[in-house]
Amino acid sequence: MRYFVGWGSLLLIVSMQAGCSSIPECRTVTPIIQAGDPVITALAAELQREHLAGTFDGLVLVAQGEQVVFKTAYGCADRGGAVANQSAVISDMGSIAKTFTAAAVLQLAQSGQLSLSDTLAHYYPTAPEALKPITIQQLLGHSSGLDNFHNDSDFEVMDKAQAEARILALPLLARPGEKVAYSNAGYTLLAAIVETVSGQPFQTYIQQQLLTPLQLDNTGFYQDRRLAQANLARGYGGDAQGSTTYEKGLTWALVGAGGMVSSIDDLQRWSMALKQGSLFAAGAPNLVFSPANERWLLGSLAQTSSGVEVIIQMGGSTDYGYTALIQFIPERDLLLVLLLNAHNNKYANATHHRLSREHMLPILLSQAAPFTDI
């Protein structure tokens, strides 16, 4: 494999003027790792075109098995300070945070502290009768029938008791198990159940049982002071250009369903842990890829397809231009990770999905065999 590594002479600045400060859009392309393969070369050219057109800023990574074959940074983490994106940059992962919540629940299930067939009646005995039959598996697989419990702002301030009360007061969209309908509320309840079962604050459990053991040192929650704030990417898209979600308080409108930040390398490491089951005890089955229903896996990963190729993925978008995606193509042992901090109106808050579906997968899936030069 041929690599392009480093930030000196190998830093590629693609613009008509030098540096970010002279161009508000900050058009820079920084190859970090790039396999010498025609498919990867074509991918690099396609993503460069989209970045130069203003479609996105952020980081993109592709791995074949455990080997990274492509990693490139685009644009700036902070346009005002002319700070280019790089591997160390920390950005909002949106709903990919749900995979951490699901992992916590599955760990507790593996250790016998809860069962996926447990119902809300067990944890909320005073809940309305219609909600009591909802199982933990249905919460994981978005088939609980619960709607979302806040629609005006992800940052609406509320504590756990307020969030639980609002969720348990929701009328059901459908009877439990009858319909698959995406629900942030279900994952907020799962985070609350993790607290009940573990006897720890949700953030503490995630830190001690997932982030620390897996050495995810650049992953955490909003306002987590362990993280290097100088590495935080600002968001560019929608309202409040140049703001960060990290600055917001971690309200229970988000706990369990979002409110987390990470780096591109941490998200790759996390994706590999999900794939390999290394977040579970040695010898324990990996429940992450077990079906919750026809659409969702237990690890908060959705099953879809691109032609005949099965795709397993989780994505997310948040305010200010942040979008993110982890995507597995099992038959090819491929992993795609996108951690983006800017978009224009072309794809808006669907930029992560559209960039992959329309510009990356057609190239990556165009060959029958794995990459030739790795």
Side-chain angles (χ1 to χ4, degrees):
M1 177 184 296
R2 292 189 291 273
Y3 291 97
F4 298 88
V5 184
W7 303 102
S9 61
L10 294 177
L11 175 65
L12 174 61
I13 304 295
V14 184
S15 65
M16 295 183 66
Q17 301 180 43
C20 300
S21 58
S22 59
I23 298 182
E25 292 81 5
C26 191
R27 298 289 177 255
T28 72
V29 180
T30 308
I32 304 168
I33 297 174
Q34 187 170 319
D37 181 276
V39 172
I40 295 299
T41 300
L43 176 68
E46 177 69 8
L47 290 176
Q48 178 170 303
R49 280 192 294 270
E50 285 301 309
H51 167 66
L52 294 180
T55 305
F56 75 100
D57 288 1
L59 288 107
V60 178
L61 179 149
V62 178
Q64 173 94 59
E66 298 185 14
Q67 181 69 62
V68 176
V69 296
F70 178 84
K71 181 166 65 171
T72 297
Y74 301 88
C76 277
D78 182 351
R79 293 177 184 175
V83 180
N85 274 316
Q86 55 171 305
S87 288
V89 160
I90 297 170
S91 194
D92 200 307
M93 70 171 81
S95 284
I96 294 175
K98 291 182 175 70
T99 63
F100 289 85
T101 305
V105 171
L106 295 177
Q107 279 188 336
L108 293 170
Q110 291 276 30
S111 64
Q113 296 180 72
L114 61 76
S115 170
L116 299 184
S117 61
D118 285 348
T119 65
L120 285 191
H122 179 74
Y123 300 100
Y124 298 100
T126 62
E129 291 300 318
L131 274 65
K132 284 183 177 180
I134 295 172
T135 67
I136 287 180
Q137 178 163 327
Q138 289 166 347
L139 292 172
L140 288 170
H142 298 283
S143 64
S144 65
L146 288 170
D147 197 356
N148 288 317
F149 69 112
H150 63 93
N151 295 306
D152 295 333
S153 171
D154 285 341
F155 308 118
E156 185 178 352
V157 177
M158 65 182 79
D159 61 24
K160 182 172 74 168
Q162 291 171 321
E164 291 172 310
R166 288 175 61 168
I167 294 169
L168 295 176
L170 289 171
L172 290 177
L173 298 173
R175 288 180 297 181
E178 184 177 75
K179 179 181 179 181
V180 175
Y182 191 84
S183 174
N184 288 304
Y187 272 76
T188 299
L189 283 187
L190 287 171
I193 290 169
V194 168
E195 289 203 346
T196 298
V197 173
S198 69
Q200 294 181 297
F202 178 72
Q203 295 97 307
T204 301
Y205 183 94
I206 296 298
Q207 180 66 56
Q208 292 183 356
Q209 302 301 321
L210 296 172
L211 304 185
T212 298
L214 294 171
Q215 297 181 318
L216 302 179
D217 298 330
N218 291 312
T219 302
F221 294 88
Y222 294 172
Q223 297 190 348
D224 185 340
R225 300 304 176 187
R226 297 177 313 105
L227 302 176
Q229 295 178 57
N231 290 337
L232 289 167
R234 296 190 172 275
Y236 300 92
D239 299 328
Q241 299 276 330
S243 297
T244 76
T245 51
Y246 172 89
E247 297 163 2
K248 299 287 188 177
L250 187 61
T251 165
W252 269 85
L254 271 176
V255 173
M260 293 185 71
V261 295
S262 190
S263 68
I264 193 77
D265 293 330
D266 270 15
L267 276 187
Q268 185 214 358
R269 189 176 296 115
W270 174 241
S271 300
M272 295 302 295
L274 293 175
K275 174 185 169 184
Q276 297 168 355
S278 54
L279 51 136
F280 301 121
N286 183 5
L287 298 179
V288 168
F289 290 88
S290 297
N293 51 53
E294 69 279 5
R295 168 67 173 162
W296 288 91
L297 305 177
L298 291 175
S300 191
L301 297 165
Q303 300 182 92
T304 183
S305 65
S306 176
V308 298
E309 302 273 356
V310 173
I311 296 174
I312 296 171
Q313 63 185 21
M314 188 62 186
S317 61
T318 50
D319 290 351
Y320 312 147
Y322 298 104
T323 62
L325 180 68
I326 57 175
Q327 202 166 53
F328 302 93
I329 298 92
E331 290 185 14
R332 297 173 185 253
D333 202 13
L334 277 179
L335 168 68
L336 282 64
V337 183
L338 286 74
L339 190 61
L340 311 179
N341 68 302
H343 59 63
N344 62 12
N345 292 330
K346 182 176 182 179
Y347 300 137
N349 63 2
T351 295
H352 52 316
H353 284 300
R354 298 284 295 276
L355 198 64
S356 171
R357 183 169 66 245
E358 298 180 21
H359 300 279
M360 297 180 67
L361 289 177
I363 294 172
L364 291 169
L365 304 183
S366 64
Q367 61 174 17
F371 304 115
T372 58
D373 190 22
I374 62 174

